[in-house]
Amino acid sequence: MPRYKNLRAEMARNGVTIRQIAESLGVRFATISDKLNGRSRFFCDEAFHIKRHFFPNCSIEYLFDDDDQQDTA
């Protein structure tokens, strides 16, 4: 199940691709795809890098809000 809907929305709004994020972090495209699809998690340093490099005007809490937690509330 896809996760991080806010991050995905900002990526779409700003024309940021999975490939750009992967290259910026020095990881494979599949690694970022897996993280966005909930198969693995972002590490803190990765999240902060993405925020600083691509979305400096968004909060880390907004970008990496966990959709699953909202569904159980």
Side-chain angles (χ1 to χ4, degrees):
M1 164 183 266
R3 295 175 99 174
Y4 308 109
K5 67 180 180 184
N6 295 338
L7 175 58
R8 287 175 176 277
E10 292 301 325
M11 288 171 65
R13 231 185 311 272
N14 292 283
V16 175
T17 66
I18 293 173
R19 186 161 312 285
Q20 288 173 308
I21 292 175
E23 288 174 358
S24 179
L25 289 169
V27 299
R28 297 178 312 122
F29 174 95
T31 301
I32 299 303
S33 179
D34 284 349
K35 290 173 188 268
L36 286 170
N37 287 306
R39 289 188 283 274
S40 61
R41 295 190 179 271
F42 284 97
F43 293 106
C44 285
D45 61 330
E46 293 172 330
F48 280 105
H49 176 88
I50 292 167
K51 182 238 184 299
R52 280 192 306 267
H53 190 78
F54 295 101
F55 312 107
N57 296 322
C58 295
S59 73
I60 199 85
E61 294 86 1
Y62 165 75
L63 288 172
F64 293 92
D65 185 37
D66 191 351
D67 300 336
D68 288 348
Q69 289 180 353
Q70 291 178 349
D71 293 342
T72 59

